[in-house]
Amino acid sequence: MSPLQIIEHPLFKAHQIEVYIKRDDLIHPIISGNKWRKLKGNLSYAKAKGLKGILSFGGAYSNHLHALAYACQQQELAAKAVIRGEPEYLTNYTLSWAMHWGLEPIFVDRQTYRQREQAEYLAALATQFPDYLIVPEGGSNQLALSGLAELVEELNQQISFDTLMLPVGSGGTIAGIINADQCQHQILGIAVLKQADYLRNNINQLLSTSQNQTAKTFNNWQLLTEFHRGGYGKFSDQDCLRLAEFIAQTGVPFEPIYSGKIVLALLDLIAQGYFPAGHKIVLLHTGGLQGLGGQIERGLLPNEFIKAVQSHLPSAPQVQ
Ligand SMILES: *Cc1c(COP(=O)(O)O)cnc(C)c1O
């Protein structure tokens, strides 16, 4: 069970809001956060069916592929990944770890990568790799939902609260949580990408394919689409400085692609008076700190931010 901590901030105090953080970034030393939750069901399915491995999709800095490679190695499954980009990415922080754990990369151009959800392309992959479980980008499929139910169970044991806030990329995590929460709490998703309104459909689709017959009646969740800060992977130096301050204040590390965006959204929403006094919020720290390795390599982070997270960074592997 990942820990739950209270976090203190003058803004929370001023608005009489209580904020807790569910530290799924600490759930496992390598497979952090929601990728672990989502992979669990997929790994057990692949094992139970006697499959050779898992084939999935991702970008060259993907938290999902990083987690997939390690998790498959542990389970003695093969891991294949269709990766958007060129083999030159193999030496980046994320993929060098993934290769270290045995990831078999298949590099494709952007155009091919765009077909990753199309039936025809998926059927061709299934023919080519018949003994692999094909898992969508981010690991968000129906098999992922059960791992999120465990998260909801943990929370129910740990605390009573009003709102659970989390970042949303492909929608698998929030769908699993809505499904398991059964309307006990408000679920507030913050989209980390631009023009994310389409995600509501993806979330509803995951909910309706789950065993849950009452999926359509869930009305306790919302997706806010105005806090993407420029788009997926985009953030300003100013965003990083605000985050660095928050990290120093709370002692909890965040990265600017996912968990950092919910922190900034939370601060903005509280300042706007979005939550009533006395409200109890749980932030879900979905992990993703491995992404900082690649962001530092690419010079995307201001020094002040690097200083703030430095003590939380794992070191990069040597690639043979
Ligand atoms: C992938 C990821 C998300 C997004 O989760 P979805 O299930 O795709 O919505 C959020 N946070 C982190 C750290 C991630 O790696």
Side-chain angles (χ1 to χ4, degrees):
M1 185 184 303
S2 73
L4 182 88
Q5 292 167 218
I6 190 161
I7 46 179
E8 313 272 1
H9 191 279
L11 187 73
F12 305 162
K13 203 169 267 171
H15 289 257
Q16 295 175 281
I17 308 285
E18 266 179 67
V19 180
Y20 296 80
I21 185 152
K22 174 71 168 160
R23 298 289 305 272
D24 266 12
D25 56 315
L26 300 176
I27 200 168
H28 186 279
I30 292 168
I31 325 171
S32 84
N34 66 341
K35 298 308 183 285
W36 173 233
R37 303 276 189 192
K38 292 196 283 185
L39 277 170
K40 252 179 130 175
N42 282 287
L43 293 162
S44 2
Y45 180 88
K47 284 302 265 189
K49 292 274 171 188
L51 296 173
K52 179 153 187 256
I54 292 181
L55 182 155
S56 194
F57 307 84
Y61 299 92
S62 162
N63 291 333
H64 168 60
L65 296 185
H66 182 267
L68 179 76
Y70 181 84
C72 283
Q73 189 210 43
Q74 292 299 298
Q75 299 284 318
E76 297 176 351
L77 288 165
K80 274 191 200 300
V82 174
I83 303 172
R84 179 185 51 220
E86 313 279 336
E88 69 197 46
Y89 286 127
L90 285 177
T91 55
N92 81 25
Y93 180 88
T94 301
L95 290 185
S96 56
W97 271 118
M99 294 297 288
H100 178 80
W101 297 315
L103 184 76
E104 300 162 27
I106 306 167
F107 285 97
V108 299
D109 58 25
R110 283 179 174 276
Q111 211 172 343
T112 311
Y113 193 77
R114 243 180 258 131
Q115 301 173 26
R116 68 192 177 280
E117 285 169 17
Q118 287 174 14
E120 213 175 312
Y121 181 64
L122 292 172
L125 284 172
T127 309
Q128 199 180 350
F129 305 110
D131 40 7
Y132 280 73
L133 173 66
I134 298 183
V135 171
E137 183 181 63
S140 292
N141 58 7
Q142 222 240 295
L143 289 167
L145 301 183
S146 60
L148 277 321
E150 289 177 13
L151 165 67
V152 171
E153 263 169 51
E154 290 177 20
L155 273 176
N156 284 335
Q157 286 177 37
Q158 286 171 313
I159 189 176
S160 84
F161 64 97
D162 301 300
T163 294
L164 178 67
M165 220 171 136
L166 73 156
V168 175
S170 61
T173 304
I174 195 170
I177 289 173
I178 296 164
N179 187 49
D181 183 68
Q182 295 290 312
C183 292
Q184 298 178 80
H185 306 101
Q186 288 299 315
I187 314 292
L188 187 59
I190 304 297
V192 301
L193 38 108
K194 220 177 359 194
Q195 290 161 346
D197 295 307
Y198 74 93
L199 283 174
R200 294 195 187 92
N201 279 336
N202 293 19
I203 294 164
N204 276 320
Q205 207 159 2
L206 277 166
L207 285 172
S208 62
T209 56
S210 76
Q211 263 79 25
N212 200 312
Q213 296 306 310
T214 56
K216 294 221 166 56
T217 67
F218 292 134
N219 55 3
N220 60 319
W221 65 276
Q222 256 188 301
L223 180 71
L224 302 184
T225 56
E226 302 306 314
F227 293 95
H228 56 72
R229 320 205 83 82
Y232 182 72
K234 302 261 167 68
F235 47 85
S236 67
D237 279 3
Q238 177 60 26
D239 293 336
C240 283
L241 297 184
R242 283 178 76 196
L243 265 183
E245 213 174 281
F246 194 80
I247 293 167
Q249 184 108 35
T250 60
V252 181
F254 298 94
E255 43 70 47
I257 310 253
Y258 294 103
S259 57
K261 288 192 182 176
I262 60 166
V263 166
L264 298 177
L266 174 74
L267 295 173
D268 291 347
L269 288 169
I270 292 180
Q272 288 167 22
Y274 184 88
F275 302 104
H279 209 73
K280 251 190 198 181
I281 300 169
V282 174
L283 288 184
L284 176 61
H285 196 316
T286 46
L289 297 171
Q290 76 81 25
L292 290 169
Q295 290 152 31
I296 290 171
E297 267 173 6
R298 286 175 286 164
L300 299 178
L301 303 172
N303 285 331
E304 290 87 341
F305 183 85
I306 297 175
K307 249 182 256 157
V309 288
Q310 205 136 44
S311 60
H312 304 280
L313 296 173
S315 58
Q318 295 302 309
V319 185
Q320 275 84 29

